[in-house]
Amino acid sequence: MASLQDQLRGLVYSTEHGDICPNCRQPRDDCRCAELAEQERIATLDGVVRIRRETSGRKGKGVTTITGLPLPGSELKALAKTLKKRCGTGGSTNDGVIEIQGDHRELLKAELERLGYTVKLAGG
């Protein structure tokens, strides 16, 4: 990893190319850092989709989180949309994790198993 001084001295804008990616030093249009990170995330998965209920940091309000889906970002968002519609609630996708408002673990488990995924309920 580069030192802090090297990180702070990096080029972030060029009048010729516009914005520059701080990681690969390529113009933003040519940068592949996000694609490589997505491929690395998918490669590290073990094939089991985990569903858990979380309340920490949410002022006691619970959300159901789904992790371990081997899908790229656009397909993950589309799946999240159908799952939210099925549950009748809102939610979001962040860093490969689908968050759905409320406790819908059993409904989501049945729906994901119907779609052919190996599902495991995680946590208490």
Side-chain angles (χ1 to χ4, degrees):
M1 171 155 244
S3 70
L4 180 62
Q5 290 296 326
D6 290 339
Q7 292 175 10
L8 293 176
R9 288 186 189 143
L11 181 67
V12 293
Y13 187 82
S14 166
T15 55
E16 183 178 347
H17 299 291
D19 288 333
I20 303 291
C21 175
N23 297 325
C24 64
R25 307 277 190 226
Q26 297 292 321
R28 286 282 180 189
D29 297 337
D30 299 336
C31 177
R32 292 181 25 116
C33 293
E35 294 174 25
L36 295 175
E38 187 71 20
Q39 290 173 358
E40 185 177 323
R41 180 191 69 84
I42 291 173
T44 60
L45 298 176
D46 61 355
V48 177
V49 178
R50 289 176 173 79
I51 301 175
R52 73 173 52 99
R53 182 174 180 271
E54 293 182 2
T55 58
S56 62
R58 296 171 172 36
K59 299 181 183 175
K61 305 241 186 322
V63 298
T64 304
T65 60
I66 304 169
T67 57
L69 286 165
L71 298 173
S74 59
E75 293 178 26
L76 194 67
K77 284 187 178 190
L79 178 64
K81 183 176 180 178
T82 59
L83 293 175
K84 290 187 298 185
K85 194 178 288 187
R86 179 83 168 95
C87 294
T89 62
S92 65
T93 57
N94 297 321
D95 300 327
V97 177
I98 298 176
E99 296 179 355
I100 296 180
Q101 296 171 355
D103 185 7
H104 302 283
R105 287 179 290 186
E106 296 300 326
L107 176 65
L108 292 171
K109 181 179 180 189
E111 187 68 20
L112 288 171
E113 285 176 343
R114 187 183 66 78
L115 293 173
Y117 294 103
T118 303
V119 182
K120 184 177 185 181
L121 293 178

